[in-house]
Amino acid sequence: MSSSRTRTARDGQWRDLYGYWEHGPATDVIWLNLANLTTAEARRKTAAHELGHALGFCHKDPSKYSTLMAPHTGDMASAPTAQDKKNYTLLWG
């Protein structure tokens, strides 16, 4: 089970952070930093990216793959790509 929570900060550990996935003992949490996510597209991409981490995916090099799992929001695909779907199938069947 997972849930999402939000922060609104641009200082300290949140200065350049858009979101992150936190593994919990019973429930995983996806944190979104609304101070840095100023558009609906950025929020959508970041939420999908962090959900990818919750599913077990790591960052992928955007120069090799078009993917939601690129490490920076500007490089992330807008929707799951063929590579993302292939990675999901390899991991989960």
Side-chain angles (χ1 to χ4, degrees):
M1 175 168 233
S2 66
S3 66
S4 64
R5 298 184 183 158
T6 60
R7 297 272 186 190
T8 305
R10 288 195 174 134
D11 57 358
Q13 72 176 4
W14 290 93
R15 189 174 128 245
D16 295 319
L17 195 63
Y18 291 87
Y20 74 92
W21 162 70
E22 179 181 4
H23 177 67
T27 302
D28 292 355
V29 178
I30 295 172
W31 290 92
L32 300 176
N33 184 3
L34 299 182
N36 291 333
L37 297 170
T38 57
T39 67
E41 179 183 17
R43 288 188 295 274
R44 185 179 65 248
K45 286 189 318 187
T46 301
H49 174 92
E50 297 305 331
L51 182 58
H53 286 308
L55 289 169
F57 302 130
C58 60
H59 287 145
K60 302 294 182 199
D61 183 347
S63 68
K64 295 181 181 179
Y65 307 105
S66 175
T67 178
L68 280 170
M69 296 311 297
H72 303 288
T73 305
D75 295 328
M76 291 176 198
S78 296
T81 65
Q83 185 64 47
D84 292 317
K85 293 172 186 177
K86 178 181 176 182
N87 292 343
Y88 179 87
T89 302
L90 288 170
L91 188 60
W92 292 101

